[in-house]
Amino acid sequence: MSTGEIHHRSCNLCEAMCGLLIEHDGRGVLGIRGDPDDPLSRGHLCAKAFALRDVYEDPDRLRRPLRRLQSGDFGEIGWDEALDEAASRIAEVQRSHGRDAVAVYQGNPSVHNLGTMLFAPQLVRALRTRNRFSASSVDQLPHHFAAWLLFGHQFLLPVPDIDRTDHLLVLGANPLVSNGSLMSAPGMRTRLRALRQRGGSLVVVDPRRTETAAVADAHHFIRPGTDALLLAALCHRVLHVHRPELRHLRGVVDGVDALGAALQPFAPAAVAAPTGIDAAAIEAMADAFVAAPRSACYGRLGICTAEFGGLAMWLVAVLNLLTGNLDREGGMMFTSPAVDVMARTSRGGFGRWASRVRGAREFGGELPVAVLAEEITTPGEGQVRALITSAGNPVLSTPGGQHLARALQQLDFMVAIDIYRNETTRFADLILPPRTGLEVPHYDVVFHSLAVRNTARFADRLFAGDPGGRDDWQIYAGLLERLAPLRGPVLARAAGLASRRLSPTRQLDFALRTGPYGGLGGRRLQRGALSVGALRRQPHGVDLGALRPGQLPARLQTEGRRVDLHPEPIAADLQRLAASLRPAAATSVAPDAEDDFDLRLIGRRGLSDCNSWLHNAPSLMKGRDRCVLLLHPDDAAQRAITDGAEVTIRSRVGEVRAPVRLSREVMPGVVSLPHGFGHGVQGASLRVAEAHAGVSINDLTDPSAIDALTGNAVFSGVPVQVRATATASAASAPG
Ligand SMILES: Nc1nc2c(c(=O)[nH]1)N[C@H]1C(S)=C(S)[C@@H](COP(=O)(O)OP(=O)(O)OC[C@H]3O[C@@H](n4cnc5c(=O)[nH]c(N)nc54)[C@H](O)[C@@H]3O)O[C@H]1N2
Ligand SMILES: Nc1nc2c(c(=O)[nH]1)N[C@H]1C(S)=C(S)[C@@H](COP(=O)(O)OP(=O)(O)OC[C@H]3O[C@@H](n4cnc5c(=O)[nH]c(N)nc54)[C@H](O)[C@@H]3O)O[C@H]1N2
Ligand code: SF4
Ligand SMILES: [Mo]
């Protein structure tokens, strides 16, 4: 029987926020279970939760700052020395080469970290560089773009009311494996089963018959990169055959007729060939969406990371709106979180500046990370000469990763705030490793605001971590303080603020008390009002109720609180999309390529992966190696490739080798490789990951391919060639 104590905490490894019961003895973890009393996750957890323990114990995880030595190796140094050096090198580069010479890249775990959410923006602002990058532009940038354009705020993002809908149309997402994204909904299998038990239906559109597609009522293969065409056809049918149902938004929506006219080229019959879905099936898809009492269309990564990703996400929102399913129960709904992210972030903005080399437009204060390598390697004024990475591994996660790896070696200075010496951080002059996971307090500011039910939960740190160590926020605050005297008065002011700033937990307490459930809005403190103290007393989390309908138009932040369905950037992009339908169109949505890159590559996620960074967790790396290429048997036969053989995959930008698995899961003409692998590189120190190295899909993806509208990277449908690896060269390949 167990003897340990129980620590309550929600898992911060993905967006699902599962409530966990962590049994421990004060020094180590004895066991991890799902918390049945958590109001959102109701006992669900996945295998990755055990990686919280692996990361805590990992002997490869860094606990002290590392400095690169002359020999190229790393040596440990003290925190003060490391922070002093980082600040003075950054200041020096900005002094000599201007403020844009320092670039910043922030990776995915940033948004799962309270301290980073509160403190990183201050440092980034203080640097006043235009070269800000993040994982957003290899992920969900099109969602923010669509929300900004339609509703006036990049974080006014509706989520599917999955527990009440009658009809869920999913494009380019595999929530059964990813556990939901921009839709925190732990226990997806149970929720989808409940949908079908109450007579509802699930339709999935995906070039691969995924785990989610396998439990759907209908699955349609689609040619990668053509979802904007399909969505335009669905909206076309709603506008031209059914009637738009604007319900409570009737008085605030403009441009319905103009949109109808702009969608003329996209009748179902016109998009059937390029999408690979026949017209009757598209019509039926639209009709079923309209016919169901309450429907929700949810599009995610597979349609964001595409040539028309911005337009696709905008059309998803428009389809929901035109069918009366926006802002109503069972449709796409807005959350009412205890800490309002919208109130604390900028609304967004577009095209206020552009990247120096390619002229890619800024969105929300950031440039597309696909341009980072060229900004480092192209000489001239404003060239990037120093880089700060924080919780990111762009060598594995951004397009043309091997080009970026070469570019990083050209920098005058690089500092990485990270817990591992990995494929990216190995190039840093300094690595600053924060406490992480079970060693830090946790409240999910971002994902509580994207959850399918309003809840709140807080956890204090379970373990103290390295004595003398730093949390992420302390590293940011430390850099800000040190940069101030080295740089002008503006930064000095910002640093003064930062050093006087309260800890993230104190700031959270303030935000909760002054938030919608905090009771400080009224005249006196109400019983049961939220605060950190109140959440500590309710460790399973607090249920704040189902999502509430009818939040629009009040929450709109657009000009005059109106919604324009045919604004200029969309009008122009619809013309670009229409041009792609014309026979000689040179865009990559054309069904057949003339070159010998005759297959289309897509990515995938495995249940035990967490992008690139949990492959050093022993409990997740048992079993068969996962980095295999899925290839349709018909395509294999044409190329004389047999199951299990090693193949060479070539794209315009690179070449990798991987074992192949023949599978009818992928549609003919499409191949699939997971992302986040490619670990066996020199200079990294990840012993478990190295034993399951795999190859990086982003050595094949093309940094020149971005969505012209939003700048998001294009990963859906990379043109590739696949051949059996020639035996002689396989034998002579370096080990
Ligand atoms: N081809 C292709 N590419 C993709 C994708 C794809 O589907 N296909 N997916 C994209 C998506 S959705 C994303 S989000 C990105 C992810 O891209 P990134 O965010 O760049 O990469 P991750 O693999 O999440 O790496 C996270 C880093 O954070 C570090 N880390 C973990 N915890 C902490 C912490 O507490 N503090 C700090 N300071 N560091 C920490 C890890 O060691 C690791 O270095 O990849 C994208 N790239
Ligand atoms: N197990 C696990 N869970 C994770 C992560 C992880 O790495 N592993 N990462 C987390 C992160 S950072 C994110 S952003 C989320 C992402 O969560 P999801 O959005 O669910 O992402 P994926 O599982 O990559 O699913 C994308 C789907 O798009 C399909 N697809 C590819 N190209 C196209 C196309 O052109 N059209 C259509 N219609 N579909 C296409 C792919 O086949 C795939 O099934 O997952 C999160 N959860
Ligand atoms: S589904 Fe996500 S939040 Fe839940 S246990 Fe797994 S990794 Fe953690
Ligand atoms: Mo992501």
Side-chain angles (χ1 to χ4, degrees):
M1 247 341 266
S2 66
T3 51
E5 286 177 53
I6 299 294
H7 169 79
H8 300 78
R9 148 175 312 253
S10 61
C11 175
N12 69 324
L13 293 175
C14 87
E15 302 178 30
M17 300 191 286
C18 297
L20 304 178
L21 302 175
I22 303 180
E23 194 184 339
H24 66 98
D25 61 6
R27 280 169 304 132
V29 173
L30 304 174
I32 299 181
R33 283 174 291 141
D35 181 355
D37 299 319
D38 184 285
L40 184 68
S41 63
R42 305 168 193 153
H44 178 76
L45 86 174
C46 83
K48 278 193 285 182
F50 300 98
L52 287 171
R53 172 190 183 158
D54 291 358
V55 170
Y56 174 64
E57 294 174 351
D58 192 345
D60 288 338
R61 177 160 66 88
L62 307 177
R63 271 98 178 160
R64 308 272 165 79
L66 292 187
R67 181 206 273 138
R68 173 183 298 283
L69 308 172
Q70 293 260 285
S71 64
D73 211 348
F74 284 91
E76 276 190 10
I77 59 170
W79 273 103
D80 283 327
E81 195 187 344
L83 290 167
D84 288 348
E85 182 171 327
S88 69
R89 299 284 302 270
I90 291 165
E92 185 187 303
V93 169
Q94 287 199 316
R95 218 171 19 239
S96 312
H97 303 288
R99 54 195 202 210
D100 295 337
V102 173
V104 183
Y105 173 82
Q106 292 179 274
N108 172 274
S110 308
V111 284
H112 297 269
N113 184 314
L114 175 65
T116 305
M117 286 305 296
L118 294 171
F119 281 79
Q122 296 182 55
L123 178 69
V124 174
R125 261 198 309 275
L127 290 170
R128 291 191 294 153
T129 171
R130 291 182 162 190
N131 285 308
R132 303 176 201 164
F133 305 92
S134 81
S136 283
S137 54
V138 284
D139 185 348
Q140 83 286 1
L141 179 50
H143 287 259
H144 297 306
F145 183 86
W148 170 77
L149 199 53
L150 264 180
F151 310 131
H153 197 298
Q154 59 177 335
F155 289 108
L156 193 47
L157 298 166
V159 300
D161 186 17
I162 191 163
D163 295 337
R164 288 181 291 189
T165 193
D166 302 302
H167 184 83
L168 185 63
L169 172 58
V170 175
L171 301 100
N174 186 14
L176 233 48
V177 168
S178 67
N179 285 297
S181 183
L182 302 185
M183 166 177 69
S184 291
M188 191 54 64
R189 193 174 289 277
T190 311
R191 290 180 202 268
L192 291 179
R193 197 180 299 133
L195 161 69
R196 300 191 57 204
Q197 272 165 3
R198 62 179 180 265
S201 48
L202 170 68
V203 176
V204 173
V205 178
D206 199 302
R208 190 182 133 229
R209 188 175 162 80
T210 59
E211 295 78 354
T212 307
V215 303
D217 298 86
H219 165 232
H220 301 273
F221 278 135
I222 185 165
R223 285 210 168 89
T226 64
D227 297 80
L229 290 172
L230 170 65
L231 285 155
L234 295 175
C235 291
H236 179 282
R237 178 119 180 132
V238 169
L239 282 174
H240 293 280
V241 175
H242 302 282
R243 264 186 325 124
E245 257 262 33
L246 300 178
R247 297 176 40 254
H248 64 306
L249 300 176
R250 177 167 304 280
V252 297
V253 173
D254 301 314
V256 178
D257 293 340
L259 176 67
L263 289 178
Q264 281 295 357
F266 307 104
V271 307
T275 58
I277 306 177
D278 61 56
I282 297 172
E283 288 166 7
M285 208 185 294
D287 297 351
F289 196 83
V290 171
R294 303 176 297 185
S295 303
C297 176
Y298 167 71
R300 199 48 198 98
L301 197 77
I303 73 168
C304 276
T305 52
E307 189 181 347
F308 289 95
L311 198 49
M313 281 321 306
W314 190 82
L315 287 165
V316 165
V318 168
L319 178 65
N320 286 308
L321 193 156
L322 288 176
T323 55
N325 286 302
L326 182 73
D327 194 26
R328 73 129 70 137
E329 285 178 11
M332 292 297 283
M333 300 187 73
F334 298 99
T335 64
S336 312
V339 175
D340 189 356
V341 179
M342 276 178 61
R344 291 180 159 68
T345 47
S346 102
R347 290 173 45 207
F350 180 46
R352 291 166 295 186
W353 64 87
S355 71
R356 178 180 61 103
V357 179
R358 199 190 302 187
R361 283 176 289 188
E362 158 273 351
F363 179 80
E366 282 183 27
L367 291 170
V369 68
V371 312
L372 176 56
E374 73 203 25
E375 291 297 329
I376 298 171
T377 56
T378 312
E381 201 173 313
Q383 180 180 6
V384 169
R385 292 164 188 273
L387 175 67
I388 305 170
T389 68
S390 160
N393 192 4
V395 165
L396 294 192
S397 58
T398 68
Q402 84 282 31
H403 298 291
L404 182 63
R406 278 196 291 278
L408 296 182
Q409 297 171 60
Q410 228 176 285
L411 290 167
D412 292 349
F413 179 67
M414 173 174 164
V415 54
I417 304 171
D418 206 288
I419 57 175
Y420 286 110
R421 187 168 135 194
N422 64 18
E423 299 74 18
T424 299
T425 63
R426 68 189 157 127
F427 296 116
D429 299 281
L430 287 169
I431 308 179
L432 309 177
R435 298 188 192 103
T436 190
L438 302 175
E439 301 166 348
V440 295
H442 185 55
Y443 181 93
D444 246 305
V445 192
V446 174
F447 299 106
H448 275 121
S449 71
L450 294 166
V452 299
R453 190 170 181 87
N454 296 314
T455 62
R457 56 181 77 52
F458 171 79
D460 285 299
R461 56 179 106 234
L462 169 56
F463 301 124
D466 192 59
R470 302 280 202 280
D471 291 0
D472 277 276
W473 71 272
Q474 291 168 315
I475 298 174
Y476 286 110
L479 287 174
L480 261 173
E481 271 164 36
R482 285 167 175 82
L483 277 165
L486 304 172
R487 285 259 323 267
V490 174
L491 192 59
R493 257 200 316 279
L497 279 174
S499 57
R500 265 180 275 130
R501 270 290 156 80
L502 304 168
S503 72
T505 304
R506 299 284 294 281
Q507 288 191 51
L508 172 67
D509 188 52
F510 179 77
L512 288 168
R513 286 174 189 273
T514 51
Y517 308 91
L520 279 189
R523 238 171 290 144
R524 61 201 161 86
L525 194 63
Q526 295 156 12
R527 272 169 65 85
L530 285 192
S531 62
V532 166
L535 291 181
R536 280 190 176 120
R537 289 189 293 277
Q538 299 175 80
H540 302 287
V542 174
D543 189 7
L544 301 171
L547 303 186
R548 290 174 227 138
Q551 307 214 15
L552 302 187
R555 287 182 72 186
L556 289 174
Q557 297 205 19
T558 46
E559 185 121 340
R561 291 227 166 97
R562 302 196 65 80
V563 177
D564 183 0
L565 295 190
H566 196 240
E568 190 282 321
I570 294 299
D573 219 43
L574 280 169
Q575 284 178 19
R576 188 171 69 99
L577 185 68
S580 79
L581 281 172
R582 285 179 215 121
T587 98
S588 66
V589 270
D592 297 303
E594 278 119 17
D595 51 41
D596 55 355
F597 297 126
D598 51 356
L599 294 171
R600 292 291 174 269
L601 175 69
I602 60 170
R604 74 175 184 274
R605 290 174 151 71
L607 255 182
S608 302
D609 301 318
C610 188
N611 298 322
S612 76
W613 74 275
L614 283 186
H615 292 150
N616 215 47
S619 64
L620 300 182
M621 301 313 282
K622 298 175 195 139
R624 287 196 297 177
D625 276 358
R626 304 192 283 270
C627 191
V628 300
L629 185 81
L630 302 183
L631 176 71
H632 192 278
D634 295 350
D635 293 322
Q638 279 170 22
R639 292 162 181 76
I641 294 170
T642 52
D643 193 40
E646 189 193 80
V647 292
T648 302
I649 312 152
R650 213 161 59 77
S651 74
R652 193 189 73 80
V653 301
E655 179 181 306
V656 301
R657 290 176 189 178
V660 77
R661 188 187 310 151
L662 302 192
S663 169
R664 290 182 191 278
E665 252 178 50
V666 284
M667 70 190 286
V670 172
V671 289
S672 155
L673 196 66
H675 87 286
F677 285 90
H679 298 297
V681 298
Q682 228 191 350
S685 180
L686 299 162
R687 281 166 288 185
V688 179
E690 259 163 44
H692 310 271
V695 292
S696 176
I697 190 174
N698 285 321
D699 287 348
L700 297 167
T701 56
D702 187 343
S704 72
I706 58 173
D707 172 22
L709 181 60
T710 63
N712 204 85
V714 174
F715 296 141
S716 297
V718 177
V720 292
Q721 179 204 76
V722 176
R723 299 280 182 268
T725 303
T727 335
S729 67
S732 65

mmCIF file of all heavy atoms in Angstrom, residues 166-184:
data_model
loop_
_atom_site.group_PDB
_atom_site.id
_atom_site.type_symbol
_atom_site.label_atom_id
_atom_site.label_comp_id
_atom_site.label_asym_id
_atom_site.label_seq_id
_atom_site.Cartn_x
_atom_site.Cartn_y
_atom_site.Cartn_z
ATOM 1 N N ASP A 166 -24.161 18.688 -31.673
ATOM 2 C CA ASP A 166 -24.781 17.522 -32.315
ATOM 3 C C ASP A 166 -23.980 17.072 -33.527
ATOM 4 O O ASP A 166 -24.229 16.003 -34.083
ATOM 5 C CB ASP A 166 -26.201 17.887 -32.797
ATOM 6 C CG ASP A 166 -27.072 18.359 -31.656
ATOM 7 O OD1 ASP A 166 -27.236 17.597 -30.694
ATOM 8 O OD2 ASP A 166 -27.555 19.510 -31.723
ATOM 9 N N HIS A 167 -23.062 17.923 -33.961
ATOM 10 C CA HIS A 167 -22.363 17.615 -35.210
ATOM 11 C C HIS A 167 -21.008 18.317 -35.172
ATOM 12 O O HIS A 167 -20.942 19.536 -35.127
ATOM 13 C CB HIS A 167 -23.190 18.128 -36.393
ATOM 14 C CG HIS A 167 -22.603 17.775 -37.723
ATOM 15 N ND1 HIS A 167 -22.800 16.553 -38.321
ATOM 16 C CD2 HIS A 167 -21.825 18.492 -38.568
ATOM 17 C CE1 HIS A 167 -22.167 16.528 -39.494
ATOM 18 N NE2 HIS A 167 -21.560 17.681 -39.660
ATOM 19 N N LEU A 168 -19.958 17.533 -35.204
ATOM 20 C CA LEU A 168 -18.616 18.112 -35.152
ATOM 21 C C LEU A 168 -17.889 17.800 -36.453
ATOM 22 O O LEU A 168 -17.727 16.638 -36.819
ATOM 23 C CB LEU A 168 -17.850 17.537 -33.952
ATOM 24 C CG LEU A 168 -16.468 18.120 -33.665
ATOM 25 C CD1 LEU A 168 -16.560 19.601 -33.304
ATOM 26 C CD2 LEU A 168 -15.788 17.349 -32.529
ATOM 27 N N LEU A 169 -17.496 18.860 -37.148
ATOM 28 C CA LEU A 169 -16.735 18.713 -38.393
ATOM 29 C C LEU A 169 -15.291 19.112 -38.095
ATOM 30 O O LEU A 169 -15.020 20.262 -37.736
ATOM 31 C CB LEU A 169 -17.342 19.620 -39.479
ATOM 32 C CG LEU A 169 -16.584 19.749 -40.801
ATOM 33 C CD1 LEU A 169 -16.389 18.397 -41.482
ATOM 34 C CD2 LEU A 169 -17.324 20.715 -41.745
ATOM 35 N N VAL A 170 -14.376 18.158 -38.219
ATOM 36 C CA VAL A 170 -12.976 18.362 -37.840
ATOM 37 C C VAL A 170 -12.096 18.337 -39.083
ATOM 38 O O VAL A 170 -12.114 17.350 -39.836
ATOM 39 C CB VAL A 170 -12.514 17.256 -36.862
ATOM 40 C CG1 VAL A 170 -11.021 17.378 -36.564
ATOM 41 C CG2 VAL A 170 -13.320 17.293 -35.576
ATOM 42 N N LEU A 171 -11.336 19.409 -39.293
ATOM 43 C CA LEU A 171 -10.392 19.426 -40.420
ATOM 44 C C LEU A 171 -8.968 19.598 -39.895
ATOM 45 O O LEU A 171 -8.675 20.553 -39.165
ATOM 46 C CB LEU A 171 -10.688 20.593 -41.366
ATOM 47 C CG LEU A 171 -12.076 20.644 -42.011
ATOM 48 C CD1 LEU A 171 -12.956 21.616 -41.266
ATOM 49 C CD2 LEU A 171 -11.977 21.045 -43.465
ATOM 50 N N GLY A 172 -8.094 18.661 -40.256
ATOM 51 C CA GLY A 172 -6.677 18.852 -39.952
ATOM 52 C C GLY A 172 -6.345 18.834 -38.477
ATOM 53 O O GLY A 172 -5.469 19.577 -38.030
ATOM 54 N N ALA A 173 -7.030 17.999 -37.719
ATOM 55 C CA ALA A 173 -6.703 17.832 -36.298
ATOM 56 C C ALA A 173 -6.889 16.373 -35.936
ATOM 57 O O ALA A 173 -7.717 15.684 -36.533
ATOM 58 C CB ALA A 173 -7.602 18.693 -35.426
ATOM 59 N N ASN A 174 -6.132 15.946 -34.962
ATOM 60 C CA ASN A 174 -6.231 14.553 -34.514
ATOM 61 C C ASN A 174 -6.320 14.540 -32.985
ATOM 62 O O ASN A 174 -5.417 14.074 -32.295
ATOM 63 C CB ASN A 174 -5.009 13.774 -35.013
ATOM 64 C CG ASN A 174 -5.117 12.286 -34.722
ATOM 65 O OD1 ASN A 174 -6.189 11.779 -34.379
ATOM 66 N ND2 ASN A 174 -4.000 11.584 -34.844
ATOM 67 N N PRO A 175 -7.418 15.083 -32.444
ATOM 68 C CA PRO A 175 -7.480 15.302 -30.997
ATOM 69 C C PRO A 175 -7.392 14.022 -30.163
ATOM 70 O O PRO A 175 -7.016 14.104 -28.991
ATOM 71 C CB PRO A 175 -8.826 16.017 -30.792
ATOM 72 C CG PRO A 175 -9.610 15.763 -32.024
ATOM 73 C CD PRO A 175 -8.622 15.605 -33.128
ATOM 74 N N LEU A 176 -7.693 12.886 -30.759
ATOM 75 C CA LEU A 176 -7.563 11.659 -29.980
ATOM 76 C C LEU A 176 -6.096 11.410 -29.589
ATOM 77 O O LEU A 176 -5.812 10.765 -28.589
ATOM 78 C CB LEU A 176 -8.097 10.468 -30.796
ATOM 79 C CG LEU A 176 -9.151 9.610 -30.101
ATOM 80 C CD1 LEU A 176 -10.238 10.444 -29.483
ATOM 81 C CD2 LEU A 176 -9.730 8.611 -31.065
ATOM 82 N N VAL A 177 -5.182 11.919 -30.385
ATOM 83 C CA VAL A 177 -3.755 11.776 -30.087
ATOM 84 C C VAL A 177 -3.171 13.066 -29.502
ATOM 85 O O VAL A 177 -2.447 13.034 -28.513
ATOM 86 C CB VAL A 177 -2.986 11.358 -31.361
ATOM 87 C CG1 VAL A 177 -1.481 11.492 -31.157
ATOM 88 C CG2 VAL A 177 -3.334 9.923 -31.716
ATOM 89 N N SER A 178 -3.542 14.197 -30.061
ATOM 90 C CA SER A 178 -2.969 15.460 -29.569
ATOM 91 C C SER A 178 -3.648 15.916 -28.286
ATOM 92 O O SER A 178 -3.172 16.820 -27.620
ATOM 93 C CB SER A 178 -3.087 16.549 -30.633
ATOM 94 O OG SER A 178 -4.447 16.893 -30.841
ATOM 95 N N ASN A 179 -4.746 15.300 -27.941
ATOM 96 C CA ASN A 179 -5.542 15.684 -26.765
ATOM 97 C C ASN A 179 -6.115 17.088 -26.871
ATOM 98 O O ASN A 179 -6.393 17.737 -25.873
ATOM 99 C CB ASN A 179 -4.724 15.502 -25.477
ATOM 100 C CG ASN A 179 -4.600 14.027 -25.114
ATOM 101 O OD1 ASN A 179 -5.590 13.374 -24.838
ATOM 102 N ND2 ASN A 179 -3.388 13.493 -25.172
ATOM 103 N N GLY A 180 -6.280 17.518 -28.129
ATOM 104 C CA GLY A 180 -6.979 18.781 -28.357
ATOM 105 C C GLY A 180 -6.044 19.967 -28.333
ATOM 106 O O GLY A 180 -5.143 20.054 -27.515
ATOM 107 N N SER A 181 -6.277 20.904 -29.237
ATOM 108 C CA SER A 181 -5.431 22.089 -29.329
ATOM 109 C C SER A 181 -6.297 23.283 -29.662
ATOM 110 O O SER A 181 -7.163 23.199 -30.534
ATOM 111 C CB SER A 181 -4.385 21.870 -30.409
ATOM 112 O OG SER A 181 -3.516 22.966 -30.465
ATOM 113 N N LEU A 182 -6.083 24.400 -28.961
ATOM 114 C CA LEU A 182 -7.015 25.523 -28.990
ATOM 115 C C LEU A 182 -8.418 24.982 -28.726
ATOM 116 O O LEU A 182 -9.413 25.400 -29.319
ATOM 117 C CB LEU A 182 -6.934 26.293 -30.310
ATOM 118 C CG LEU A 182 -5.552 26.861 -30.638
ATOM 119 C CD1 LEU A 182 -5.598 27.707 -31.892
ATOM 120 C CD2 LEU A 182 -4.974 27.673 -29.489
ATOM 121 N N MET A 183 -8.448 23.992 -27.882
ATOM 122 C CA MET A 183 -9.658 23.291 -27.444
ATOM 123 C C MET A 183 -9.167 22.383 -26.312
ATOM 124 O O MET A 183 -8.847 21.225 -26.527
ATOM 125 C CB MET A 183 -10.241 22.449 -28.585
ATOM 126 C CG MET A 183 -11.278 21.444 -28.101
ATOM 127 S SD MET A 183 -12.054 20.473 -29.410
ATOM 128 C CE MET A 183 -10.723 19.421 -29.983
ATOM 129 N N SER A 184 -9.032 22.951 -25.109
ATOM 130 C CA SER A 184 -8.574 22.112 -23.997
ATOM 131 C C SER A 184 -9.746 21.251 -23.565
ATOM 132 O O SER A 184 -10.743 21.751 -23.048
ATOM 133 C CB SER A 184 -8.074 22.985 -22.848
ATOM 134 O OG SER A 184 -6.883 23.630 -23.247
#
